[in-house]
Structures are given as structure tokens and as C-alpha cells.
Amino acid sequence: MKMLLLILLFNILSWRSLRMKRLANDCFSNASEMISVAEALTKIAAAAKPLAGTERTTVFEAEGRILAEDIYATMSIPPTDNSAVDGYAFCFADYEKKPDKPRNITGQSKAGHPWKGPLATDAVIKILTGAVMPEGLDTIAMTEDVSIQGNQVILPTGLKAGDNCRKKGEDIQAGQILLTKGTQLRPQELGYLASVGLESINVFKRLKVALFSTGDELVNPGEPRSSNGIYDSNRLILIGLLANLGCSVTDLGILKDRLPVVRAALHEAASNHDLVLTSGGVSMGDEDHVKTALNDIGHLHFWRIAIKPGRPLALGQIGNTAFIGLPGNPIAALVCTLMFARPLIKILSGANTTPPLSFQATSDFSLKKKPGRTEWLRARYHVSDTGIGIVEKYPTEGSGILSSAVWANGLIEIGDDVTYINKGDLITFFPFSELMR
Ligand SMILES: Nc1nc2c(c(=O)[nH]1)N[C@H]1C(S)=C(S)[C@@H](COP(=O)(O)OP(=O)(O)OC[C@H]3O[C@@H](n4cnc5c(N)ncnc54)[C@H](O)[C@@H]3O)O[C@H]1N2
Ligand code: MOO
């Protein structure tokens, strides 16, 4: 653990010394200092290392957790040859000689109750789905394909060796690797682990995230509001997003716009969390204290990315605790969390990072765009009457318009170089369902 933190610190420091040269002047006033999305994500991937420790949990409680060990199979699945159907098991080598001769039904094999007696070479065993194949038999005819005459059966012609029989180890071979460290455990992975009898596993501890909103104008829902107050919506958005990403969130409320207050609160939160997340106070205003506070008590690594929305974004470090300062506008906070905090959180949590799934769909709008920045538009995907996947965009772009995110079911991504989208073009759409897990 100490080693990991040292590596992280080393990476951060070397990254910082690189950035220091580029940040010699106030980068906010110089558009050329903005970095691209790809650069930002590369920096995140290079600097971040898993921060959370590990703990043991049972497979019954491990949904969504991140595996902290490679897991090998201690047994084969299926553990024996067994039947895929309800039917009659026979020896193919004997059947091949005279497929349609009547054969004696010698006994039964049921799931959990195998046939154990001796068998003649032309014997047939009535067998149920999942039952162990009797020794010497290798092929099964389905019940509905045979004809029964008293205690005899006539098998259908045309069966092939091994039909309807599931072979030992056809799913999992004893000794093979089942899942690798960093896998996020979905229900199917938990069933997979249970199938080889595993009950307890090592997972990464949940990433401990401290969450603040900043701004004198902010009021908690349910509290009295003065005429110049607005209710804090970001914290609710972020609590939900962080919980979906498997974090353990400490909601630390609203910070007043005072540098000593922000500084002390961030310092305190960093002492017992893996990540501190704030929203607001990262742009150019006189009351935007988050960057200054971070510079005072830790390191600020970068804070301008060529994107819309969410241009001012702070990423840094307070001691060994990671820090993200999200922009205050609710849509900018949401989009930056999905596009930057999410990959960082995945790495810090020990998870493998795979980009979220996106797909191409047809634009139902035309748009002019500035080159040199990535834009994410709130969008709604639907399938047209003629079966084509269509993407609409929300009519306005203001990043304070939370209605747009409620209306949308995902985001359109428009790359740096694109300057124009024509109606009918294929564009990239990320469903929220992919971005929010
Ligand atoms: N001179 C410049 N000014 C601004 C720039 C710029 O490039 N140059 N960028 C603008 C952009 S883009 C954004 S986004 C904002 C981000 O600013 P801050 O992170 O400092 O955010 P605040 O000023 O604190 O708040 C912005 C806006 O969002 C509202 N807000 C903040 N927190 C919450 C919350 N928890 N719940 C609901 N609403 C919140 C706040 O009241 C403001 O209206 O900077 C621009 N300025
Ligand atoms: O970061 Mo801002 O969202 O583009 O208004």
C-alpha cells in the first residue's frame, strides 16, 4: 500500500514539474494552455493508481465490487458429463450399428440421483436434464423424438455421437483463470464464482469520497432561502453518481466562499478520504477560492480542458488524497463527473478501465461548432418508425439548464476537429446508462 502511494506521489510530482513549466503564466488567460480531452485522460491514467485497500467479502454481498485478486478455478464445470435434455441415454458405437432396433430401458438417472448399476452395451437409461451421464453412455435422444413400447424404446435415426450431452469441463477447466484483478463484479460474474463453489473473495474497499458544494448563494433543500439564494442541486447529482460508481460518499455540505474556510475544510476532508470532490469556485471570479486553497495545501495539476461544458476543471492532490474541483454549473458538474471523475474514480478504486460503450446514430439536427474543443450535448436517442436510431439534441445549450439532463437519455460527443454536423450525419452517442456505472 505504502509502495503504491509512493509510486502515485512520484508520478504526481513528475507530472507536476512538467505542468509547472506550462503553467508559468496564468493559463486561464491563454487559450493555448488548454489541454485536449485525450491529453487530460492520458494524464489521469498515467498519474492515478489504486488508492483503496482491500477487504474480504462474500459473493452474496459483492455486487458491483472490484475484485482485488486473480481467481483460478478449483474444479471443472460441469464437474461431470451430463444431460442437456430430458431423454434416453445410449452408447453411440452400438446405436450406429443398428439405430432403430428396440432397446431395453434399464434404469433412470436424475439430477442429484445418478444411475450407478452395470449396463449392457445396447442398454438405454432414461435421463433427466442435468443428470450425470451413466458410465459407458455418451449420446442422448430427446423424449419427444423416441417411441416407447412397454419397457423398450426405439431411438430416432440420424443422431450424432455426443448429441444432447454436456461434457465435463466444457464451460470451465479446473486450474484455468476465471476472473482477473480489477474486474467489476456484475451478477453474472458472481454466479460464475459461485459455480465453482467460491464463497468469499478479496475486493477493493470502497473509495472514500468527501463531497462539498461551494458558494454563498447555496441553500440546502428544505431550508429557508433568501431572495438571492439558490438551492444546491449539484450535491444530489453527485451523491447519486458517486454511489453508482461504488464509492462510499461523505456528504460534507456547503462551503462558504471564504478562502480560510475552503482551505481548512479541504485539508480536513483529505486527511480521512481517498478523494475530495467539490463543485463550484474553480473559475475566475473573486470568490472562486478552490484553486487557491488547493495550491496552498496541495498541488493543482491542471484546470483547463478544451471542452464544453466544463472548461474550468481542477485536478490535483492533497497529500495522498486525490482532488477534483468540478465547475459549479450543474450540467458542467454532471458532464465533467461522467467524462473525467469517472475514469479517475475507476482507477483509484482498482477497477479496470474500459471506455464506456457508445454507438453511432443519425443526427436529426444541423450544427456549427468551433474547432479545437470537444463538446458534449444533452441528447435523446430513439428509434424511428422505420427502425433507424435517431439522436435529437436539447434545443438550448446553457450549462445551468438542468431540465436538459432530465429530458436527455445520454450525451452526444462531438470531437475536436468537427466544425459542422449535417442533419442525417452519423454521430457518437453515449447512453447515460453506460456513463453512470
Ligand atoms: N471569466 C470567466 N468566467 C467564467 C468562465 C470563464 O472561462 N471565464 N467559465 C464559465 C464556466 S464555463 C463555468 S462552468 C463557470 C464555472 O465556475 P465555478 O466553478 O467557479 O462555479 P461558480 O461560479 O461557483 O458557479 C457557477 C454557477 O453554478 C451555480 N452553482 C454552483 N454550485 C451549485 C450547486 N451546488 N447547485 C446549483 N447551482 C450551483 C452558481 O450559482 C453559478 O450560477 O464559470 C463561468 N465563468
Ligand atoms: O463549464 Mo461551463 O459549463 O461550460 O458553463
Side-chain angles (χ1 to χ4, degrees):
M1 178 63 189
K2 279 204 172 112
M3 195 60 205
L4 279 180
L5 292 176
L6 280 175
I7 294 169
L8 174 64
L9 198 61
F10 174 77
N11 272 304
I12 296 293
L13 289 175
S14 43
W15 170 17
R16 182 169 191 243
S17 61
L18 274 179
R19 293 296 307 155
M20 287 302 274
K21 291 183 193 110
R22 301 186 60 192
L23 289 173
N25 302 312
D26 180 355
C27 66
F28 203 95
S29 60
N30 181 351
S32 67
E33 290 291 351
M34 286 205 280
I35 64 170
S36 71
V37 172
E39 264 182 283
L41 292 176
T42 305
K43 281 173 187 296
I44 287 172
K49 297 283 178 284
L51 272 191
T54 66
E55 63 188 353
R56 204 132 183 104
T57 185
T58 76
V59 287
F60 293 98
E61 294 162 316
E63 222 244 287
R65 303 300 297 273
I66 314 292
L67 200 55
E69 58 180 337
D70 292 339
I71 303 248
Y72 291 85
T74 51
M75 62 182 285
S76 293
I77 300 294
T80 59
D81 290 0
N82 71 94
S83 178
V85 296
D86 297 326
Y88 293 85
F90 56 92
C91 164
F92 187 79
D94 186 77
Y95 164 86
E96 221 178 8
K97 289 183 214 148
K98 201 160 191 298
D100 53 359
K101 81 168 188 189
R103 290 156 194 277
N104 290 333
I105 304 169
T106 307
Q108 286 200 51
S109 182
K110 301 189 202 173
H113 304 279
W115 168 263
K116 289 208 178 104
L119 284 174
T121 49
D122 65 349
V124 162
I125 289 286
K126 185 174 182 184
I127 193 163
L128 302 185
T129 306
V132 171
M133 281 300 274
E135 184 85 28
L137 308 189
D138 54 11
T139 307
I140 299 161
M142 287 172 74
T143 302
E144 48 273 56
D145 296 340
V146 305
S147 79
I148 305 287
Q149 294 171 351
N151 193 39
Q152 291 198 310
V153 62
I154 298 180
L155 301 173
T157 54
L159 289 171
K160 297 188 298 300
D163 272 357
N164 300 316
C165 172
R166 302 190 286 213
K167 303 301 283 179
K168 174 181 177 178
E170 72 177 21
D171 183 4
I172 297 168
Q173 294 277 337
Q176 80 167 66
I177 190 150
L178 280 186
L179 295 174
T180 52
K181 184 175 169 176
T183 302
Q184 181 156 26
L185 300 167
R186 301 169 298 173
Q188 55 266 51
E189 277 84 28
L190 297 175
Y192 199 47
L193 296 175
S195 77
V196 296
L198 260 181
E199 195 262 341
S200 79
I201 49 175
N202 286 322
V203 294
F204 285 104
K205 286 187 177 161
R206 292 187 185 281
L207 197 73
K208 284 189 285 176
V209 183
L211 178 64
F212 293 102
S213 289
T214 69
D216 285 350
E217 76 280 29
L218 298 178
V219 181
N220 275 315
E223 287 176 3
R225 185 189 68 91
S226 66
S227 58
N228 48 5
I230 61 161
Y231 286 115
D232 180 353
S233 50
N234 288 0
R235 247 164 63 241
L236 267 295
I237 299 173
L238 295 168
I239 288 170
L241 292 178
L242 293 166
N244 283 354
L245 290 169
C247 302
S248 155
V249 185
T250 316
D251 175 12
L252 291 168
I254 299 164
L255 288 178
K256 290 285 174 204
D257 284 325
R258 285 184 45 233
L259 181 57
V261 170
V262 176
R263 199 162 40 204
L266 297 188
H267 190 262
E268 166 68 19
S271 69
N272 49 13
H273 291 87
D274 302 310
L275 170 67
V276 176
L277 199 72
T278 62
S279 71
V282 290
S283 67
M284 288 298 290
D286 296 341
E287 300 298 348
D288 291 337
H289 300 302
V290 170
K291 299 187 310 284
T292 314
L294 191 71
N295 264 325
D296 291 349
I297 59 170
H299 306 287
L300 177 67
H301 300 306
F302 68 80
W303 62 282
R304 279 197 102 201
I305 309 175
I307 52 175
K308 188 180 162 201
R311 207 171 18 178
L313 172 74
L315 186 80
Q317 188 88 10
I318 306 166
N320 284 321
T321 298
F323 174 84
I324 298 179
L326 297 164
N329 278 321
I331 296 299
L334 168 71
V335 170
C336 286
T337 302
L338 300 178
M339 295 304 177
F340 300 103
R342 178 182 176 277
L344 176 67
I345 286 170
K346 293 263 176 202
I347 299 173
L348 298 177
S349 307
N352 296 330
T353 50
T354 40
L357 288 180
S358 62
F359 54 88
Q360 300 282 297
T362 302
S363 165
D364 91 330
F365 59 89
S366 300
L367 175 106
K368 244 173 120 172
K369 167 184 162 294
K370 282 189 192 155
R373 73 180 183 201
T374 298
E375 290 190 15
W376 292 290
L377 309 178
R378 287 133 275 169
R380 196 187 258 188
Y381 173 87
H382 72 274
V383 178
S384 74
D385 295 344
T386 54
I388 311 255
I390 305 281
V391 184
E392 301 166 66
K393 76 174 180 66
Y394 195 74
T396 55
E397 290 184 10
S399 69
I401 313 255
L402 204 40
S403 315
S404 61
V406 173
W407 170 87
N409 57 14
L411 297 174
I412 296 164
E413 180 174 272
I414 310 177
D416 294 4
D417 303 337
V418 177
T419 52
Y420 207 88
I421 287 176
N422 289 305
K423 188 171 175 163
D425 285 354
L426 281 180
I427 52 177
T428 303
F429 178 78
F430 287 92
F432 278 144
S433 53
E434 272 300 310
L435 294 169
M436 292 189 183
R437 63 186 182 89

